[in-house]
Amino acid sequence: MSSINKLVNILRQKGVLKSENITKAIYAVDRIDFVSADLADMAYEDDALPIGEGQTISQPFTVVFMLELLDVKPGQKIMDVGYGSGWQSTLLSYLVGEKGKICAFEIVPELCEIGRENVRKYGELYSRVKF
């Protein structure tokens, strides 16, 4: 079983991952693209990981919990405060679809470019995010 499949199974077993749309987003927006190369072997762990400047990419449980509560619908416009690595902004971009928009804010200058570059890896999803 692949590492991402293990993570999805863990999140389902913990009862936090319920939505098929969020499951698809987790597969489409690979967390490994949002962590540093030296932490790639930990990308699918259900843990927060450092991204620099004392900040972290949130634990997958936390991200999925918030997404499930938010109940994102296609076409929505959503504000993401503190985009950090860009993972959640990209997941949100996937979930709002072609007609949706994400407005992402980050106040830590060093993370602004890191997050933007991470989201840029996802072409069309990047085009839906305004930084």
Side-chain angles (χ1 to χ4, degrees), residues 30-90:
D30 198 332
R31 189 173 189 240
I32 201 166
D33 292 328
F34 299 86
V35 301
S36 61
D38 62 318
L39 296 174
D41 61 327
M42 298 177 68
Y44 304 111
E45 299 294 321
D46 190 23
D47 291 312
L49 299 173
I51 57 172
E53 305 307 315
Q55 303 299 307
T56 62
I57 181 173
S58 295
Q59 175 184 8
F61 182 98
T62 303
V63 171
V64 171
F65 180 78
M66 291 188 296
L67 291 174
E68 290 283 0
L69 288 177
L70 192 56
D71 192 26
V72 178
K73 303 288 186 221
Q76 286 183 318
K77 294 173 180 69
I78 298 174
M79 179 171 40
D80 184 18
V81 179
Y83 67 81
S85 72
W87 186 44
Q88 183 141 336
S89 295
T90 311

